């Protein structure tokens, strides 16, 4: 078979049916990246953009695409001033070394920020290309906090930590825009996880092209239309060297969903793209208006607490079924005969999650209630007044 664009012999086979040569494949992938940014018309020429680099396959390709686009000498040059940042997990310093090496190859500076800085958010802009010092005690408190949660909650919480740190660092280096390198596969997994953990109303910010939760900083996902299969070809053709992250911690809901999605994808090539298209349909359309940013937000994930434009949330559904059951005479009698469970009658949900809807969304309330005695960062505790 020959390349479907130029008829030379094929080197790339996508979705078991589309043949390309290396050149046409690269043109195509670059085009997807540029089209994704272009059609959303959110960038102003020559503005600062912060790019989060984990070292994994997605961000390795994002780094190469950005570098290629900003070094073009023609009208297609991408007019942004990029800043690069890597969030460092203390227990995995090798990822930071790998990212510094990757960036060195392009002659690019990268800032390394410890995840533990989440504990007070008081960090300065560090010296570029080296791992900054941080207090041991802060690192310990951070890990105690994560370790006090079940794995599923900790994995979910860590995503919120990273998002907050990116937004804070973007403010420090005066970037209004952040790029992150989530791939279609990651987003499909995140979508199903969101639905399963009661974060359905947050789908559009967590999975869509643009996270608009912060009123100043927008987080964009410019490679969200590039599949894992395409990324792997890209890495091979350009001989890039991604840092191979360990997969999501096993035994978590996220890891179960990840293997479910990737197993399905093997036999049904449209699985991931179908899941992601569904995300666009779930999202509500009024996100960009200013009124949205006036609302009260969850102190951990910064999502709006009162999503009145959403039809129903998991929590409301639970509340409604409880009320309906209590209104049923037969069920009432059953309750009266069983005093142990008649506590259902009192407003059960607020007693389980005392902070819900006031300071925390349902998902973060659940994470918080599953923490074992340890403390959230002081600036959050302050708000919650625990
Ligand atoms: Zn070709
Ligand atoms: Zn939240």
């Amino acid at each position: 078979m020959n390349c479907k664009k130029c008829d030379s012999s094929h080197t790339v086979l996508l979705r078991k049916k589309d043949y390309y040569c290396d050149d046409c494949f690269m043109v195509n992938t670059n085009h997807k990246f540029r089209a994704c940014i272009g059609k959303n018309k959110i960038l102003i020429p020559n503005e600062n953009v912060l790019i989060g680099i984990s070292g994994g396959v997605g961000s390795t390709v994002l780094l190469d695409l950005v570098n290629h686009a900003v070094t073009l000498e023609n009208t297609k040059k991408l007019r942004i001033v990029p800043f690069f940042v890597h969030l460092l997990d203390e227990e995995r310093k090798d990822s930071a070394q790998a990212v510094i090496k990757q960036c060195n190859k392009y002659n690019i500076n990268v800032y390394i920020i410890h995840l533990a800085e989440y504990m007070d958010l008081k960090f300065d802009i560090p010296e570029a290309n080296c791992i900054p010092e941080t207090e041991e005690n802060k690192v310990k408190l951070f890990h105690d906090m994560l370790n006090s949660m079940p794995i599923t909650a900790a994995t979910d919480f860590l995503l919120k930590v990273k998002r907050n740190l990116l937004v804070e660092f973007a403010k420090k280096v005066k970037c209004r825009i952040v790029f992150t390198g989530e791939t279609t596969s990651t987003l499909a997994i995140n979508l199903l996880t969101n639905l399963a953990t009661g974060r359905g109303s947050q789908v559009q910010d967590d999975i869509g092209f643009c996270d608009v939760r912060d009123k100043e900083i927008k987080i964009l996902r410019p490679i969200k239309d590039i599949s894992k299969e395409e990324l792997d070809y890209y890495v091979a053709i350009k001989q890039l060297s991604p840092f191979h992250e360990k997969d999501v911690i096993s035994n978590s809901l996220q890891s179960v969903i990840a293997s479910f999605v990737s197993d399905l994808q093997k036999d049904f090539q449209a699985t991931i793209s179908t899941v992601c298209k569904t995300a666009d349909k779930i999202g509500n359309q009024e996100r960009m208006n200013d009124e949205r940013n006036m609302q009260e937000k969850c102190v951990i994930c910064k999502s709006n607490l009162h999503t009145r434009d959403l039809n129903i949330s998991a929590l409301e559904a639970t509340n409604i079924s409880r009320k309906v059951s209590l209104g049923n005479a037969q069920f009432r009698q059953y309750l009266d005969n069983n005093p142990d469970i008649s506590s259902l009658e009192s407003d059960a949900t607020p007693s389980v999650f005392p902070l819900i809807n006031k300071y925390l969304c349902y998902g973060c309330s659940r994470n918080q209630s599953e923490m074992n005695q340890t403390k959230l960062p002081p600036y959050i505790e302050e708000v919650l007044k625990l």
Side-chain angles (χ1 to χ4, degrees):
M1 291 299 277
N2 289 345
C3 168
K4 64 190 262 185
K5 288 264 152 84
C6 72
D7 226 26
S8 57
S9 60
H10 90 269
T11 47
V12 174
L13 168 61
L14 298 177
R15 297 167 290 271
K16 296 185 180 165
K17 63 180 177 56
D18 297 322
Y19 297 89
Y20 291 97
C21 68
D22 279 7
D23 290 347
C24 293
F25 167 77
M26 291 309 277
V27 168
N28 214 20
T29 310
N30 271 285
H31 177 75
K32 275 192 176 180
F33 165 65
R34 298 302 294 271
C36 194
I37 301 176
K39 76 176 173 219
N40 289 285
K41 295 195 176 76
I42 207 161
L43 287 177
I44 301 168
N46 298 318
E47 82 172 313
N48 296 346
V49 175
L50 180 67
I51 298 156
I53 303 287
S54 70
V57 175
S59 78
T60 300
V61 171
L62 178 62
L63 176 63
D64 195 75
L65 285 168
V66 169
N67 186 64
H68 175 75
V70 297
T71 52
L72 285 171
E73 292 292 346
N74 54 32
T75 50
K76 286 188 173 166
K77 180 183 168 84
L78 178 63
R79 293 181 198 285
I80 60 167
V81 182
F83 289 74
F84 296 87
V85 67
H86 173 74
L87 301 175
L88 169 70
D89 182 345
E90 223 59 40
E91 286 163 0
R92 299 177 48 200
K93 287 209 165 118
D94 42 350
S95 72
Q97 304 289 7
V99 167
I100 293 172
K101 223 165 120 190
Q102 277 185 340
C103 290
N104 261 340
K105 276 196 201 152
Y106 299 100
N107 232 341
I108 278 174
N109 286 333
V110 57
Y111 298 103
I112 312 289
I113 305 289
H114 291 269
L115 285 174
E117 301 296 349
Y118 180 72
M119 297 312 286
D120 59 13
L121 295 181
K122 284 184 184 142
F123 58 101
D124 297 316
I125 300 173
E127 196 186 325
N129 309 322
C130 55
I131 300 175
E133 294 291 321
T134 191
E135 293 161 42
E136 252 174 62
N137 187 40
K138 215 190 278 186
V139 175
K140 184 181 176 304
L141 286 174
F142 181 73
H143 280 111
D144 285 351
M145 178 176 71
L146 278 186
N147 293 336
S148 76
M149 302 180 206
I151 294 171
T152 299
T155 310
D156 177 71
F157 185 74
L158 197 55
L159 282 180
K160 314 303 167 204
V161 168
K162 289 179 178 167
R163 183 193 168 279
N164 274 295
L165 281 172
L166 284 177
V167 167
E168 287 306 315
F169 191 67
K171 288 177 183 167
K172 287 184 205 285
V173 289
K174 308 216 165 1
C175 294
R176 191 182 59 95
I177 302 287
V178 179
F179 284 178
T180 53
E182 290 102 329
T183 63
T184 323
S185 325
T186 315
L187 294 173
I189 294 162
N190 291 356
L191 169 65
L192 297 176
T193 308
N194 259 39
L195 296 181
T197 54
R199 291 190 184 278
S201 63
Q202 301 162 8
V203 157
Q204 202 153 25
D205 282 318
D206 280 336
I207 284 95
F209 168 70
C210 185
D211 175 346
V212 298
R213 271 175 284 210
D214 191 274
K215 63 177 185 293
E216 295 164 48
I217 315 289
K218 307 282 170 264
I219 303 179
L220 311 190
R221 306 186 173 98
I223 61 163
K224 77 182 260 298
D225 296 331
I226 302 176
S227 68
K228 175 74 170 46
E229 189 183 30
E230 290 168 304
L231 293 175
D232 289 342
Y233 273 119
Y234 191 106
V235 164
I237 293 169
K238 296 218 84 183
Q239 298 183 313
L240 305 175
S241 36
F243 175 76
H244 286 282
E245 302 151 272
K246 274 184 286 176
D247 284 334
V248 196
I249 311 165
S250 55
N251 296 327
S252 65
L253 176 71
Q254 292 87 344
S255 69
V256 174
I257 290 179
S259 37
F260 170 71
V261 169
S262 74
D263 286 352
L264 259 185
Q265 175 75 11
K266 276 181 211 138
D267 295 324
F268 304 98
Q269 296 285 311
T271 301
I272 288 174
S273 60
T274 307
V275 170
C276 286
K277 274 180 203 144
T278 312
D280 295 333
K281 290 178 193 154
I282 295 173
N284 59 76
Q285 301 306 314
E286 297 167 34
R287 298 181 322 133
M288 293 297 237
N289 65 24
D290 289 339
E291 192 197 340
R292 186 174 183 268
N293 274 318
M294 306 292 286
Q295 295 184 24
E296 287 167 88
K297 288 170 184 283
C298 169
V299 293
I300 294 178
C301 75
K302 311 294 163 73
S303 302
N304 283 343
L305 287 177
H306 306 287
T307 42
R308 62 191 156 83
D309 40 353
L310 203 84
N311 291 338
I312 194 166
S313 70
L315 182 67
E316 283 160 346
T318 317
N319 276 338
I320 287 173
S321 45
R322 183 162 50 84
K323 278 181 192 146
V324 170
S325 319
L326 291 172
N328 177 306
Q330 216 178 338
F331 187 69
R332 287 295 317 216
Q333 199 178 2
Y334 170 75
L335 274 187
D336 292 342
N337 297 338
N338 294 276
D340 285 352
I341 52 168
S342 63
S343 63
L344 256 179
E345 200 174 348
S346 63
D347 213 8
T349 316
S351 66
V352 179
F353 301 143
L355 303 164
I356 196 160
N357 287 346
K358 197 159 180 212
Y359 305 113
L360 296 177
C361 69
Y362 172 76
C364 293
S365 293
R366 237 178 50 160
N367 287 350
Q368 193 262 340
S369 71
E370 288 182 331
M371 284 175 62
N372 183 10
Q373 300 293 318
T374 38
K375 292 252 157 90
L376 285 161
Y379 60 91
I380 293 180
E381 297 272 325
E382 175 82 359
V383 180
L384 303 182
K385 297 214 174 48
L386 290 175

mmCIF file of all heavy atoms in Angstrom, residues 160 199 202 298-303 305 359-365, ligand 2:
data_model
loop_
_atom_site.group_PDB
_atom_site.id
_atom_site.type_symbol
_atom_site.label_atom_id
_atom_site.label_comp_id
_atom_site.label_asym_id
_atom_site.label_seq_id
_atom_site.Cartn_x
_atom_site.Cartn_y
_atom_site.Cartn_z
ATOM 1 N N LYS A 160 -5.435 17.409 41.028
ATOM 2 C CA LYS A 160 -5.847 18.749 41.447
ATOM 3 C C LYS A 160 -4.632 19.543 41.934
ATOM 4 O O LYS A 160 -4.529 20.743 41.700
ATOM 5 C CB LYS A 160 -6.895 18.679 42.574
ATOM 6 C CG LYS A 160 -8.025 17.690 42.337
ATOM 7 C CD LYS A 160 -8.782 17.961 41.046
ATOM 8 C CE LYS A 160 -9.681 16.801 40.683
ATOM 9 N NZ LYS A 160 -9.993 16.737 39.245
ATOM 10 N N ARG A 199 -17.647 13.470 39.525
ATOM 11 C CA ARG A 199 -17.164 14.748 39.008
ATOM 12 C C ARG A 199 -17.728 15.016 37.608
ATOM 13 O O ARG A 199 -17.077 15.642 36.770
ATOM 14 C CB ARG A 199 -15.632 14.750 38.942
ATOM 15 C CG ARG A 199 -14.948 14.744 40.300
ATOM 16 C CD ARG A 199 -13.458 14.999 40.163
ATOM 17 N NE ARG A 199 -12.765 14.910 41.427
ATOM 18 C CZ ARG A 199 -12.693 15.901 42.324
ATOM 19 N NH1 ARG A 199 -13.287 17.046 42.073
ATOM 20 N NH2 ARG A 199 -12.034 15.730 43.438
ATOM 21 N N GLN A 202 -17.778 18.459 36.138
ATOM 22 C CA GLN A 202 -16.474 19.089 35.884
ATOM 23 C C GLN A 202 -15.821 18.576 34.611
ATOM 24 O O GLN A 202 -14.670 18.902 34.311
ATOM 25 C CB GLN A 202 -15.555 18.838 37.087
ATOM 26 C CG GLN A 202 -16.142 19.410 38.370
ATOM 27 C CD GLN A 202 -15.519 18.822 39.637
ATOM 28 O OE1 GLN A 202 -14.549 18.092 39.578
ATOM 29 N NE2 GLN A 202 -16.090 19.146 40.784
ATOM 30 N N CYS A 298 -14.991 25.444 44.677
ATOM 31 C CA CYS A 298 -14.417 24.445 45.574
ATOM 32 C C CYS A 298 -12.980 24.866 45.901
ATOM 33 O O CYS A 298 -12.218 25.208 44.996
ATOM 34 C CB CYS A 298 -14.431 23.093 44.882
ATOM 35 S SG CYS A 298 -13.482 21.838 45.733
ATOM 36 N N VAL A 299 -12.589 24.871 47.178
ATOM 37 C CA VAL A 299 -11.264 25.370 47.525
ATOM 38 C C VAL A 299 -10.139 24.430 47.079
ATOM 39 O O VAL A 299 -8.987 24.827 47.037
ATOM 40 C CB VAL A 299 -11.089 25.688 49.041
ATOM 41 C CG1 VAL A 299 -11.956 26.857 49.442
ATOM 42 C CG2 VAL A 299 -11.371 24.471 49.896
ATOM 43 N N ILE A 300 -10.468 23.193 46.745
ATOM 44 C CA ILE A 300 -9.407 22.284 46.290
ATOM 45 C C ILE A 300 -9.310 22.230 44.763
ATOM 46 O O ILE A 300 -8.258 22.460 44.198
ATOM 47 C CB ILE A 300 -9.595 20.874 46.885
ATOM 48 C CG1 ILE A 300 -9.400 20.939 48.408
ATOM 49 C CG2 ILE A 300 -8.586 19.887 46.260
ATOM 50 C CD1 ILE A 300 -9.599 19.631 49.125
ATOM 51 N N CYS A 301 -10.420 21.942 44.082
ATOM 52 C CA CYS A 301 -10.311 21.774 42.625
ATOM 53 C C CYS A 301 -10.737 23.013 41.844
ATOM 54 O O CYS A 301 -10.598 23.054 40.638
ATOM 55 C CB CYS A 301 -11.086 20.547 42.160
ATOM 56 S SG CYS A 301 -12.864 20.791 42.157
ATOM 57 N N LYS A 302 -11.276 24.021 42.550
ATOM 58 C CA LYS A 302 -11.655 25.297 41.955
ATOM 59 C C LYS A 302 -12.830 25.200 40.972
ATOM 60 O O LYS A 302 -13.046 26.093 40.162
ATOM 61 C CB LYS A 302 -10.451 25.983 41.247
ATOM 62 C CG LYS A 302 -9.184 26.057 42.078
ATOM 63 C CD LYS A 302 -9.379 26.979 43.298
ATOM 64 C CE LYS A 302 -8.319 26.789 44.372
ATOM 65 N NZ LYS A 302 -7.030 27.306 44.063
ATOM 66 N N SER A 303 -13.586 24.126 41.057
ATOM 67 C CA SER A 303 -14.787 24.026 40.216
ATOM 68 C C SER A 303 -15.920 24.812 40.867
ATOM 69 O O SER A 303 -15.932 24.987 42.083
ATOM 70 C CB SER A 303 -15.220 22.571 40.089
ATOM 71 O OG SER A 303 -14.183 21.817 39.542
ATOM 72 N N LEU A 305 -19.271 25.536 42.631
ATOM 73 C CA LEU A 305 -20.001 24.688 43.575
ATOM 74 C C LEU A 305 -21.466 24.524 43.192
ATOM 75 O O LEU A 305 -22.073 23.524 43.468
ATOM 76 C CB LEU A 305 -19.901 25.274 44.985
ATOM 77 C CG LEU A 305 -18.526 25.104 45.620
ATOM 78 C CD1 LEU A 305 -18.485 25.765 46.983
ATOM 79 C CD2 LEU A 305 -18.173 23.623 45.743
ATOM 80 N N TYR A 359 -17.766 24.720 50.841
ATOM 81 C CA TYR A 359 -16.380 24.974 50.446
ATOM 82 C C TYR A 359 -15.846 23.947 49.459
ATOM 83 O O TYR A 359 -14.874 24.195 48.773
ATOM 84 C CB TYR A 359 -15.466 24.965 51.665
ATOM 85 C CG TYR A 359 -15.891 25.909 52.750
ATOM 86 C CD1 TYR A 359 -16.343 25.428 53.972
ATOM 87 C CD2 TYR A 359 -15.843 27.292 52.540
ATOM 88 C CE1 TYR A 359 -16.736 26.303 54.976
ATOM 89 C CE2 TYR A 359 -16.233 28.167 53.534
ATOM 90 C CZ TYR A 359 -16.684 27.668 54.750
ATOM 91 O OH TYR A 359 -17.076 28.532 55.732
ATOM 92 N N LEU A 360 -16.452 22.776 49.466
ATOM 93 C CA LEU A 360 -15.913 21.694 48.641
ATOM 94 C C LEU A 360 -16.982 21.115 47.727
ATOM 95 O O LEU A 360 -18.160 21.075 48.080
ATOM 96 C CB LEU A 360 -15.389 20.555 49.542
ATOM 97 C CG LEU A 360 -14.215 20.857 50.469
ATOM 98 C CD1 LEU A 360 -13.904 19.632 51.331
ATOM 99 C CD2 LEU A 360 -12.982 21.249 49.678
ATOM 100 N N CYS A 361 -16.551 20.646 46.543
ATOM 101 C CA CYS A 361 -17.477 19.952 45.663
ATOM 102 C C CYS A 361 -17.643 18.522 46.171
ATOM 103 O O CYS A 361 -16.939 18.087 47.092
ATOM 104 C CB CYS A 361 -16.944 19.960 44.230
ATOM 105 S SG CYS A 361 -15.477 18.931 44.020
ATOM 106 N N TYR A 362 -18.530 17.779 45.544
ATOM 107 C CA TYR A 362 -18.768 16.407 45.980
ATOM 108 C C TYR A 362 -17.497 15.554 45.927
ATOM 109 O O TYR A 362 -17.149 14.883 46.894
ATOM 110 C CB TYR A 362 -19.867 15.784 45.106
ATOM 111 C CG TYR A 362 -20.072 14.312 45.347
ATOM 112 C CD1 TYR A 362 -20.747 13.874 46.485
ATOM 113 C CD2 TYR A 362 -19.582 13.363 44.454
ATOM 114 C CE1 TYR A 362 -20.935 12.524 46.726
ATOM 115 C CE2 TYR A 362 -19.763 12.010 44.686
ATOM 116 C CZ TYR A 362 -20.440 11.600 45.825
ATOM 117 O OH TYR A 362 -20.604 10.274 46.063
ATOM 118 N N GLY A 363 -16.765 15.619 44.796
ATOM 119 C CA GLY A 363 -15.561 14.794 44.625
ATOM 120 C C GLY A 363 -14.510 15.121 45.673
ATOM 121 O O GLY A 363 -13.914 14.207 46.267
ATOM 122 N N CYS A 364 -14.274 16.405 45.926
ATOM 123 C CA CYS A 364 -13.247 16.793 46.898
ATOM 124 C C CYS A 364 -13.710 16.518 48.325
ATOM 125 O O CYS A 364 -12.902 16.180 49.188
ATOM 126 C CB CYS A 364 -12.858 18.249 46.708
ATOM 127 S SG CYS A 364 -11.999 18.536 45.147
ATOM 128 N N SER A 365 -15.023 16.633 48.580
ATOM 129 C CA SER A 365 -15.543 16.279 49.905
ATOM 130 C C SER A 365 -15.253 14.821 50.209
ATOM 131 O O SER A 365 -14.871 14.457 51.314
ATOM 132 C CB SER A 365 -17.065 16.442 49.961
ATOM 133 O OG SER A 365 -17.413 17.768 49.842
HETATM 134 ZN ZN1 LIG B 2 -13.557 20.109 44.287
#
